[in-house]
Amino acid sequence: MGLAKRIIPCLDVDNGRVVKGVQFVDIRDAGDPVEVAKRYNEQGADEITFLDITASSDDRETTVHMVEAIASQVFIPLTVGGGIRTCEDIRRMLNAGADKVGINTAAVFNPEFVREAAQRFGSQCIVVAIDAKKVSADGEPDKWEIFTHGGRKPTGLDAVEWAIKMVEYGAGEILLTSMDRDGTKNGFDLGITRAISEAVHVPVIASGGVGNLDHLVDGVIEGKADAVLAASIFHFGEYSIQQAKQRMTDAGIEMRL
Amino acid sequence: MNTMKKSTVAVIDYGMGNLHSVAKALEFVADEHTSVIVTSDPAVIDAADRVLLPGVGAIRDCIGEMHNAGLVPSIRKAMAEKPFLAICVGIQSLMSHSEENGGVDCLNHFQGNALFFGEKHTDHDGSKLKVPHMGWNQVKHTINHPLWADIPDNARFYFVHSFYVVPENKSEVAGTCDYGLEFCVAIARDNVFAVQFHPEKSHKDGLQLYKNFLHWDGKP
């Protein structure tokens, strides 16, 4: 009895369409974000995160309409990340029906933006996304650094210290992506997940590297994550959300079934 | 009874954002005789058949905006006479006082306070609990109420909050939840019902609660 751990499927969207392939046997158009969101909702997803990779800010209006359409039909929490740089960006997404926005690069270049956003909209809707990579060699004490530009540019910022700072500035949740695990299917970097989760009082979402259902279990039990985010294992029908929840329940984790 | 007359539900807009989801969820469960109106106009609220008070953000801004927009008399009037539902920060705004933002006097419809979980909040076994309380938790019905109709006891609803209400009159508690301590997440008296969770984000059971609200005659 108590608060359930969350499973969050993540979708990349470009110009209001889901990209990077989502396959459900029984949907005709897997690029329609409304259809995809509905399907994950029916499968029991606890939230859905959209990562907006639309290149041009002119096309951002399309994303706003997409969020409106989803929020009219899917009644679970929605997070939108990617391209959130100003309070005006946040206001538009929240008014369209997003519950939370993810701030990533903008936080690194202008931490005060996180403070301003939390004061204006409340910490509950400000998710700070942290892209971290392990920089310590084997045998050295563990150290992780923040990277930007898809993991290409180091910032010199220590990931754990940065997470603590972002929570002080008003982040209501941390979305932690291990850039050296992303896409590997080798599982989360449990060391950094646990280090950050134990260092902050807000919920931490683990992301990057999920290849099977045991990785989700490990993220919660060993990584102490409050939620786990995954993309490809759900998109290609390898596993359903229900299967993931059942595996986690069998491992003794409280889930919403 | 004239069933052709449109019934209206006013969703109070006092500038705190994200009313889209609340309005859409109500529209999703409303029948063709019900219209959902998002409004900041006291006259529209006064004329509505039922009223929903949403709440997002910090309590000082919430209460401040309600006063600035001249909505408090209409909110009190609605609570005195018609089916009224408050959600999230809305439930906190109906209490006497909140300790958020250094202490804020609220509408005092229910006697009692909103308290902070604290950044060092712990579970019953002493392990650390995250604050805000964010995610899906189980709601135990402590009374029978028309708004709980067709919702299983201990169903999960979506929460995101750092403050919780403690009503002085325990008989007004309609539902509780456990997060390190058992606390009130639903409060009811006469035609007023208020919940800490977000029905509009709580999938089937949340939609059922809105449906119940649209059919409620305001009697406990």
Side-chain angles (χ1 to χ4, degrees):
Chain A
M1 294 285 282
L3 185 68
K5 301 296 178 187
R6 290 168 279 151
I7 292 187
I8 308 173
C10 178
L11 301 160
D12 287 1
V13 294
D14 186 5
N15 256 315
R17 300 285 295 171
V18 176
V19 294
K20 272 212 212 160
V22 174
Q23 297 170 359
F24 291 114
V25 283
D26 49 350
I27 21 185
R28 203 175 291 266
D29 178 4
D32 178 355
V34 178
E35 290 305 315
V36 174
K38 273 177 156 172
R39 193 52 47 99
Y40 281 129
N41 179 42
E42 282 159 20
Q43 285 192 3
D46 296 309
E47 297 186 25
I48 301 178
T49 290
F50 294 92
L51 185 62
D52 185 6
I53 58 170
T54 305
S56 151
S57 56
D58 294 345
D59 296 331
R60 196 67 25 97
E61 201 57 38
T62 317
T63 311
V64 170
H65 293 311
M66 177 199 86
V67 173
E68 277 173 359
I70 295 167
S72 304
Q73 298 183 61
V74 177
F75 299 101
I76 58 173
L78 306 174
T79 301
V80 181
I84 302 288
R85 294 188 187 88
T86 65
C87 280
E88 179 57 20
D89 293 336
I90 298 175
R91 194 190 63 76
R92 284 164 74 202
M93 288 305 169
L94 296 181
N95 280 348
D99 299 282
K100 311 181 210 177
V101 293
I103 303 175
N104 188 347
T105 314
V108 175
F109 293 117
N110 178 18
E112 284 299 324
F113 173 46
V114 173
R115 198 194 298 274
E116 190 190 342
Q119 276 170 1
R120 183 153 157 204
F121 302 103
S123 290
Q124 83 288 337
C125 63
I126 305 300
V127 182
V128 170
I130 292 181
D131 292 345
K133 252 191 212 182
K134 194 167 188 175
V135 290
S136 51
D138 286 347
E140 287 177 0
D142 286 341
K143 185 171 166 50
W144 296 269
E145 192 176 321
I146 303 293
F147 280 70
T148 61
H149 297 83
R152 294 191 305 278
K153 288 197 181 175
T155 63
L157 297 164
D158 178 83
V160 179
E161 286 169 18
W162 179 250
I164 293 169
K165 179 173 169 175
M166 286 297 95
V167 172
E168 282 169 6
Y169 277 45
E173 194 170 35
I174 299 287
L175 168 55
L176 171 68
T177 303
S178 163
M179 296 307 288
D180 35 357
R181 294 299 180 99
D182 211 18
T184 64
K185 293 191 170 274
N186 288 332
F188 298 120
D189 182 332
L190 299 171
I192 182 65
T193 307
R194 184 170 188 142
I196 289 183
S197 191
E198 288 181 339
V200 299
H201 63 79
V202 303
V204 171
I205 305 166
S207 157
V210 175
N212 63 50
L213 300 182
D214 289 329
H215 291 153
L216 301 175
V217 171
D218 294 342
V220 171
I221 291 181
E222 289 178 45
K224 304 275 180 201
D226 301 282
V228 287
L229 181 140
S232 56
I233 64 161
F234 297 129
H235 295 342
F236 297 106
E238 249 175 287
Y239 302 102
S240 68
I241 306 269
Q242 286 107 322
Q243 285 173 318
K245 287 191 159 183
Q246 195 54 54
R247 178 70 62 88
M248 293 172 84
T249 303
D250 292 345
I253 299 169
E254 181 104 28
M255 300 301 294
R256 162 183 164 255
L257 292 173
Chain B
M1 189 173 138
N2 181 3
T3 52
M4 298 315 286
K5 186 185 171 293
K6 273 260 186 190
S7 167
T8 58
V9 51
V11 177
I12 302 180
D13 178 6
Y14 50 102
M16 295 299 288
N18 200 6
L19 302 178
H20 181 97
S21 316
V22 174
K24 290 297 168 189
L26 284 168
E27 281 167 8
F28 195 81
V29 296
D31 61 26
E32 67 274 27
H33 305 302
T34 304
S35 53
V36 179
I37 307 169
V38 176
T39 183
S40 54
D41 181 350
V44 173
I45 297 167
D46 293 348
D49 296 296
R50 55 194 77 237
V51 173
L52 190 147
L53 178 68
V56 175
I59 193 75
R60 181 179 300 282
D61 294 339
C62 269
I63 298 287
E65 290 304 317
M66 283 180 206
H67 281 290
N68 288 345
L71 293 168
V72 173
S74 291
I75 291 171
R76 290 198 190 283
K77 191 162 179 283
M79 286 196 287
E81 60 191 32
K82 53 195 163 201
F84 187 98
L85 175 63
I87 59 173
C88 196
V89 181
I91 188 175
Q92 298 175 13
S93 73
L94 301 189
M95 305 308 291
S96 314
H97 188 267
S98 168
E99 44 176 45
E100 191 175 9
N101 304 130
V104 174
D105 285 330
C106 303
L107 301 181
N108 198 33
H109 185 79
F110 292 103
Q111 282 65 58
N113 299 327
L115 307 180
F116 185 36
F117 281 121
E119 289 180 5
K120 305 250 180 263
H121 193 50
T122 53
D123 209 344
H124 301 286
D125 62 3
S127 61
K128 171 178 151 178
L129 285 175
K130 299 299 180 73
V131 174
H133 173 226
M134 184 188 283
W136 299 79
N137 207 333
Q138 290 174 294
V139 173
K140 187 164 87 185
H141 305 167
T142 50
I143 58 169
N144 284 318
H145 194 282
L147 265 66
W148 291 142
D150 296 321
I151 296 172
D153 198 13
N154 295 314
R156 288 187 186 274
F157 287 87
Y158 185 77
F159 289 86
V160 48
H161 64 121
S162 300
F163 293 78
Y164 63 100
V165 300
V166 183
E168 280 172 19
N169 185 350
K170 299 302 171 207
S171 68
E172 293 173 340
V173 176
T176 61
C177 178
D178 193 298
Y179 192 61
L181 54 95
E182 191 178 358
F183 64 100
C184 170
V185 297
I187 185 167
R189 188 172 76 223
D190 304 326
N191 54 306
V192 178
F193 198 88
V195 295
Q196 180 61 66
F197 49 83
H198 288 271
E200 71 283 0
K201 291 293 158 184
S202 298
H203 202 217
K204 288 198 293 282
D205 293 316
L207 292 172
Q208 182 64 46
L209 192 137
Y210 277 165
K211 197 171 178 180
N212 294 342
F213 175 60
L214 294 180
H215 291 112
W216 186 30
D217 61 4
K219 297 198 175 69

